[in-house]
Amino acid sequence: PGGMRFLTPPPETAWQRAQSLLMQLGALDANGRISAHGKALATLPVHPRLGQMLLRAGGRRAALLAALLGARDPLRGAPVDVTLRLAALEDTRKFSAAHAVESDKGALAMIRTESKRLMRPERKKASVGVLVALAYPDRIGLNRGDNKGRFLLSGGKGALVGAGDPLHGARLIAVADLDGARREAKVRLAAPVSEGELRLWFGGQIGLVRECAWSKRDKAVIAREKEQLGAIALSDRRWQDAPPDAVVTAMIEGIREMGLECLNWSEAARQMLARVAWLRPRGVEMPDMREPALVAGLEEWLGPFLNGCWRKADLAGVDVLAALEVRLGREGKAMLDRLAPSSVTAPTGTRLRVDYSGEQPRISVRLQEMFGADRHPHVGPDKVPLLIDLLSPARRVVQTTADLPRFWRTSYGDVRKDMRGRYPKHPWPEDPQNAAPSRRLKPRK
């Protein structure tokens, strides 16, 4: 259209829809040029849709239907099945006797006259539903199965057959006329069509589509194998041998949708994130393990651990800590353990978990277990002293220190005076720096 001097240029979307329809009818080739079939359609005095069924099928019934669809409805108020109109055209008396529907005899006569002008030799016998589908390949409707007469059309739009109409519960229909509603138009004329007929006449347009995607509703990966005619699926079954990598990709999509909290985070895994986050600002080269980076890199660090996972519940069995360690790599893991260890050892041999969630890492330990310690533990490349929460035998904090030798020399004396009266069964030596650490009560005399 851009190369022609239109007084009013056609809207771009309308032009694209027209081209798409003509390609679907075979009137244009893939490059948008008119085909031999398109030239034949252009010789007919009808819309290309109606010309399609005249040329593909032909015969008296196709001519009657083409004339009918170009005229006003001769059975106003009747059910939407266009077959009723053809029955009235073929034998008005017999139709009137069998159906309590008033017909417009003048309209019927005009349609019969017009059909004679449109008659073409019959090429292949076709049902009414097939004839309508030939003219309206984008309006082949599949019942949505909700008992509400709602259909999905092959062109992607919705259609509705009113309650009480004989076609309300049909599985497949071909729609000849709709009202102007955009989202779910009301069907005014249609005909039933069988799956076998569609396979016979439209087999070349039915494609096998395999889908493996995350379902937000089911919180699971859904793998389906469909025989698709446009937007409708003539068959829909589980894709039994869906490739594992496709399932993993869909599962990752689900994790991104649900957020990282859907994973089974152990305390050790959370601590690893905190250790890396504490160490990275100190100039140590470590992978970024903040949430945005983890989400962006799910395929790399978590993907290999998702084999066999199909549902949200399956994520409970995924070892997040092991996946994070793979992200760190062997050298990174060794550096992390050396510079930001997950735990330190008390003089008694007790392993004390280091908490990196605060600004300064800290441990908690009963005071008696640190007797004999003459050096303060530290972490990081810059040797940051650990904050030590020293606990009473009842595991209450009695002192927090970042310099244990200084604590022994200064504040310990006051703590000893206060605690030995409360906990006389526990050792409170005068020289803790040279005393034996203990987890137990004082021995009996």
Side-chain angles (χ1 to χ4, degrees), residues 357-434:
S357 60
E359 186 174 334
Q360 188 169 352
R362 69 195 306 148
I363 58 173
S364 296
V365 60
R366 282 185 294 184
L367 189 149
Q368 280 78 10
E369 293 199 51
M370 297 303 291
F371 291 159
D374 59 355
R375 293 183 181 181
H376 194 94
H378 58 263
V379 292
D382 45 355
K383 299 189 181 305
V384 176
L386 290 174
L387 285 178
I388 303 178
D389 291 325
L390 295 167
L391 309 178
S392 71
R395 305 198 70 82
R396 295 187 179 92
V397 178
V398 296
Q399 186 80 24
T400 298
T401 181
D403 188 342
L404 193 59
R406 186 172 185 276
F407 167 71
W408 295 140
R409 295 192 306 269
T410 57
S411 305
Y412 171 73
D414 293 333
V415 172
R416 178 176 180 269
K417 290 177 185 179
D418 185 42
M419 291 289 108
R420 67 188 299 195
R422 296 187 191 180
Y423 304 100
K425 295 182 179 181
H426 295 266
W428 299 98
E430 291 185 11
D431 185 7
Q433 201 162 347
N434 293 303

Side-chain angles (χ1 to χ4, degrees), residues 127-296:
S127 69
V128 177
V130 167
L131 291 174
V132 175
L134 287 171
Y136 299 93
D138 53 331
R139 295 187 193 169
I140 299 169
L142 176 67
N143 200 309
R144 294 182 187 268
D146 55 5
N147 296 318
K148 295 181 180 179
R150 298 171 64 239
F151 289 80
L152 173 65
L153 302 182
S154 52
K157 295 183 178 180
L160 181 66
V161 175
D165 192 283
L167 293 186
H168 181 270
R171 179 173 180 259
L172 289 161
I173 60 175
V175 180
D177 190 26
L178 296 158
D179 69 10
R182 286 188 176 184
R183 291 189 62 189
E184 199 163 57
K186 187 175 181 180
V187 175
R188 291 196 285 223
L189 284 177
V193 64
S194 71
E195 182 177 327
E197 289 175 319
L198 291 178
R199 290 185 180 278
L200 179 64
W201 285 83
F202 296 89
Q205 299 176 38
I206 298 172
L208 184 63
V209 177
R210 290 178 170 134
E211 297 175 345
C212 187
W214 176 257
S215 168
K216 292 183 180 180
R217 183 189 66 183
D218 300 318
K219 301 296 181 188
V221 175
I222 305 298
R224 309 297 300 175
E225 193 173 56
K226 304 177 182 180
E227 288 182 288
Q228 204 91 9
L229 177 58
I232 65 174
L234 297 179
S235 70
D236 185 348
R237 54 188 175 270
R238 183 178 178 185
W239 186 6
Q240 297 286 357
D241 55 348
D245 58 341
V247 178
V248 168
T249 298
M251 199 71 209
I252 288 173
E253 178 189 343
I255 294 170
R256 286 198 172 105
E257 183 263 320
M258 294 183 288
L260 293 183
E261 284 304 310
C262 70
L263 300 176
N264 184 22
W265 287 94
S266 64
E267 183 59 31
R270 293 188 185 277
Q271 274 296 102
M272 176 173 280
L273 298 186
R275 291 161 65 196
V276 172
W278 182 80
L279 203 54
R280 287 183 81 238
R282 288 173 160 74
V284 180
E285 191 172 336
M286 286 272 144
D288 188 352
M289 289 199 178
R290 291 171 295 183
E291 185 169 344
L294 290 178
V295 170

